[in-house]
Amino acid sequence: MGRFDLLALSYSCMGLFTLMGSAIVLTGHGTWLAYLTAIVLGFFYILPTVFVSSTICCGSGMYSMVVSLLSPTAASLYCISNMLDITMSLVAISFGSYIQSLFPAVSYRLAGAVFLTIIYVINQLGLRNVSRSQNVMFTLLAGTLVIFIASGLIHVDISPAFHFRESGFIPGGTTGFISCVVILYYISTSYVCAISYGKYSKRAYKDIPLAMFLSPLLLIVTFCLCAAITGSIVPVGEASEPITYAAKALLPGVLFSIFIICGPCMSMAAFINGSFAYYGVLLKGVCKDGWMPAFAGMENRHGAPTAINTWYYLTGMIPLLVGFDISQTANFINFVWAIISLIPCIAVYNLPKRYPKSWEQSHMHISNGLYYLVCTVRLVVNIVIAVLSSINLGITAVCISTGVFLLLVVYVLTRAKQSDHELYTHLDAWPLCDDDRQPQVN
């Protein structure tokens, strides 16, 4: 993979169109500011991982990172906990709603189910085909966003987006703004998936950090402008599908249909496409090391992990068919993700100690004191998001989520202590400096 491939995979893994309706209800003309805040907070969360990716090449993504920086047990807990992620259902529900705006007679659940099935089939054809399809999606999405933004800046007065004291600017007040940032936060950090493609990259130590730096910049330019334009057009009462409403006002006839398909729908397709690829790389290492049954990591003739892909297909399909609420689903995902992410938040502190020479030679090297400060900011952001998500989610859902996570802790600790089962740790991580290479852990 080259730089364009990595940028296409990381930037396109943003499903931010999914939540624009909920965002406008809470923040009105100030939606762009909520997007900006969520993206900036997300960047501070991702930043330590960017430094790690410039120092070690992680063959199995976050699994390799946590194994090499913390422990195999912690890494397996992190990865297995990711199986609770139901983000695909959130995106599929939103996709179905956009298709229904074009074809009112079509059920949004049916459209979402067909969409999810098509992306699942693509991912059964292997990572090379996933990368090719992602490049096409990224190109179409970027072109469509440029057209929408250019048309909006020419024809729409976006000054209301900067009238901070008017009633239409963040009508939900401080509470609404914070709630909006929380539901946007997780999905704005998805470009961390770039770290999973280390062994597939031509210049991993430089290209992966670059992709993770460029992605938030592109997000700020594209989605903040889209939010400012849309928030200036759409009345809060029509915010269920704000991009649809705004696109109808800006783009006539066939251009509107092309925009919906190549804009929001393509963005969601790219997000799910990249998510399948990310989780496939992440969990294959866990299966290889014996933390999960070996059959779960088995690959088909195209190199795709069929069982892993099928699991995420089902976790996306079931909430879709049941009819989960988008905002509530987003809060659930944010809470679960914030709890799980405490593990890599702790792991990144060990980079200078575990790989001192590689860290010194990294082209992104900073002083250890400043690096630890960056890691601490990440930890604080993660804890704050966990607390805010739990408030939005409600006590029952928090207790259920926490209980399931604790059961996974018990499973992993039991698995680690089994005397009749040898757990291997393939240190599928290559430091920049050969002197830092570590032996395999048994």
Side-chain angles (χ1 to χ4, degrees):
M1 289 183 183
R3 290 177 179 176
F4 183 81
D5 302 302
L6 290 167
L7 181 61
L9 277 165
S10 55
Y11 173 82
S12 300
C13 278
M14 301 294 115
L16 289 171
F17 275 122
T18 306
L19 299 168
M20 196 169 284
S22 299
I24 287 184
V25 169
L26 293 169
T27 54
H29 298 318
T31 302
W32 68 271
L33 185 59
Y35 270 81
L36 177 62
T37 304
I39 293 168
V40 170
L41 286 176
F43 176 71
F44 279 112
Y45 171 80
I46 296 296
L47 189 54
T49 307
V50 178
F51 288 118
V52 171
S53 69
S54 73
T55 307
I56 57 176
C57 176
C58 301
S60 295
M62 297 295 285
Y63 177 65
S64 298
M65 188 190 89
V66 179
V67 165
S68 57
L69 295 180
L70 195 56
S71 74
T73 302
S76 65
L77 176 60
Y78 170 77
C79 295
I80 294 172
S81 298
N82 271 269
M83 296 178 70
L84 298 175
D85 191 356
I86 58 171
T87 311
M88 291 188 191
S89 67
L90 174 72
V91 178
I93 290 169
S94 187
F95 178 92
S97 298
Y98 278 107
I99 293 298
Q100 194 174 54
S101 71
L102 291 177
F103 308 102
V106 176
S107 163
Y108 80 91
R109 293 182 185 178
L110 176 61
V114 172
F115 157 70
L116 194 58
T117 302
I118 291 172
I119 303 299
Y120 168 75
V121 170
I122 291 174
N123 275 265
Q124 292 297 85
L125 299 177
L127 190 58
R128 180 174 297 180
N129 288 303
V130 170
S131 179
R132 288 172 179 169
S133 62
Q134 200 78 349
N135 288 347
V136 173
M137 293 176 190
F138 172 73
T139 303
L140 291 172
L141 172 61
T144 304
L145 288 177
V146 167
I147 292 171
F148 178 81
I149 291 170
S151 180
L153 292 177
I154 292 171
H155 299 291
V156 178
D157 176 17
I158 63 170
S159 61
F162 303 97
H163 292 168
F164 300 108
R165 296 185 178 181
E166 290 190 0
S167 59
F169 191 87
I170 312 182
T174 302
T175 302
F177 181 78
I178 292 174
S179 297
C180 182
V181 171
V182 169
I183 65 172
L184 291 172
Y185 169 78
Y186 165 70
I187 213 162
S188 69
T189 63
S190 300
Y191 55 91
V192 73
C193 69
I195 198 173
S196 297
Y197 309 114
K199 64 183 178 183
Y200 306 102
S201 305
K202 295 176 181 177
R203 300 167 68 245
Y205 302 105
K206 292 187 177 181
D207 289 351
I208 290 176
L210 180 63
M212 286 196 278
F213 260 119
L214 290 178
S215 291
L217 293 177
L218 289 174
L219 286 175
I220 289 172
V221 172
T222 53
F223 280 97
C224 288
L225 281 174
C226 279
I229 292 167
T230 305
S232 299
I233 297 175
V234 181
V236 173
E238 300 289 339
S240 58
E241 294 299 341
I243 282 286
T244 303
Y245 187 101
K248 282 181 179 178
L250 287 174
L251 304 171
V254 69
L255 288 179
F256 165 72
S257 299
I258 291 173
F259 171 78
I260 294 298
I261 293 171
C262 295
C265 291
M266 196 61 64
S267 172
M268 295 172 203
F271 176 86
I272 291 188
N273 197 41
S275 296
F276 271 119
Y278 169 73
Y279 286 122
V281 173
L282 185 75
L283 291 173
K284 279 193 292 186
V286 181
C287 297
K288 183 177 180 180
D289 283 356
W291 295 98
M292 290 172 59
F295 75 85
M298 291 179 62
E299 299 177 348
N300 62 18
R301 62 190 180 91
H302 300 290
T306 302
I308 294 171
N309 285 347
T310 302
W311 169 263
Y312 282 101
Y313 172 70
L314 292 175
T315 59
M317 186 67 74
I318 293 173
L320 168 67
L321 297 178
V322 171
F324 280 19
D325 174 75
I326 285 183
S327 296
Q328 193 71 355
T329 303
N331 282 318
F332 171 80
I333 292 167
N334 279 334
F335 177 72
V336 171
W337 178 249
I339 296 298
I340 295 170
S341 295
L342 287 172
I343 297 172
C345 281
I346 295 169
V348 292
Y349 277 97
N350 292 327
L351 177 65
K353 183 173 68 174
R354 292 286 179 94
Y355 298 100
K357 293 185 178 179
S358 297
W359 173 232
E360 288 177 4
Q361 293 181 15
S362 168
H363 69 285
M364 293 187 63
H365 179 264
I366 56 177
S367 68
N368 287 353
L370 182 56
Y371 175 74
Y372 291 135
L373 176 61
V374 170
C375 293
T376 302
V377 170
R378 169 181 178 157
L379 182 60
V380 170
V381 169
N382 195 83
I383 292 172
V384 169
I385 292 295
V387 172
L388 293 175
S389 298
S390 66
I391 293 172
N392 290 338
L393 193 57
I395 187 65
T396 302
V398 168
C399 290
I400 293 173
S401 304
T402 305
V404 172
F405 179 74
L406 292 176
L407 288 175
L408 291 177
V409 171
V410 172
Y411 166 80
V412 169
L413 293 177
T414 302
R415 191 78 169 169
K417 292 179 179 178
Q418 286 179 344
S419 59
D420 60 339
H421 186 84
E422 189 173 12
L423 297 176
Y424 301 98
T425 297
H426 69 293
L427 279 179
D428 198 7
W430 304 280
L432 190 60
C433 177
D434 288 340
D435 292 342
D436 281 335
R437 295 192 183 276
Q438 302 176 21
Q440 286 199 345
V441 180
N442 290 323

